[in-house]
Amino acid sequence: MEIKARGFSFDVYADGPADGEPVLLLHGFPQDHREFDLILPRLHAAGLRTYALDQRGYSAGARPDAVAAYRLPEAAADAVAVLDALGCESAHVVGHDWGAQVGWLLAAGHPQRVRSYTAVSVPHPRALANALQRELRQRLRFAYMAVFRAGFAERLLLARDGAMLRSMLKPVGARAAGYAAAMREPGRLTGALNWYRALTRGQLAGVGKITVPTTYVWGEADPVLGRTAALATGDWVEADYRLVAMRDVGHWVPEEAPETLAEAVLARVGV
């Protein structure tokens, strides 16, 4: 469905029982709503109504030109506006990668709109910031971000039929080709990369403690996000909290370990 919100048009993919408790799904880079496809059958079978949002830069009708328009508070405001347009006073939220960052902002800044939160891969922003400050290894894990922020990133990532994108997503198998192909749509990759270009420390420094029931799902083999921030995330949650750590699982949890993630979401939602 097409949702009009904040002057944009967002693509939202709704499924599951019409009267089920709502679940808002927020994707990361370089994926889109499809990254949750493998967990949806379990959620629907449990009676949940899902809304998978293609966020700004990914929805064709939500691609502002200015880099500053891709700051995380803007994406969080989008999610609130989409919930308003759907008639949802609150929803369970599941976010992966950049979507997890948006979810942390939602849970911290709009707790009345978040029934529960399941963060996937990306820890609480303050736990991550502390790890970046203290650990050279975590800073080295983030070295790729300088490339994604550079002006040549589009050319690099789309070269040779999106070879670098497909290589990044190798753990998701044949699904990688679909994500790489979608990035050839005019303006889509620039919008997606603008999330990196717009990021500043100030956007995350003020994210406070979380007061809604929260689960953090982390792959121990994640090449980007290390153990220190993962273990410290619970320090920033003042509500029921669970850490689900998975051995031999990397960054792409919704497609590498969909059954485990679905179980974690259902346990958090309480169905």
Side-chain angles (χ1 to χ4, degrees), residues 52-76:
L53 166 65
D54 274 355
Q55 300 196 79
R56 61 172 55 206
Y58 298 82
S59 287
R63 290 179 187 157
D65 293 331
V67 169
Y70 293 86
R71 291 173 179 161
L72 282 167
E74 295 295 335

Side-chain angles (χ1 to χ4, degrees), residues 155-209:
R155 297 192 303 276
L156 180 67
L157 292 172
L158 292 178
R160 294 181 292 119
D161 196 29
M164 183 170 287
L165 288 170
R166 288 184 283 110
S167 178
M168 283 173 50
L169 290 164
K170 186 176 180 180
V172 312
R175 299 172 62 83
Y179 297 126
M183 285 300 183
R184 291 197 291 271
E185 181 184 323
R188 184 182 178 106
L189 181 55
T190 294
L193 289 170
N194 280 346
W195 287 61
Y196 292 91
R197 293 163 177 156
L199 184 63
T200 61
R201 289 187 179 183
Q203 295 174 53
L204 301 176
V207 180
K209 293 200 172 183

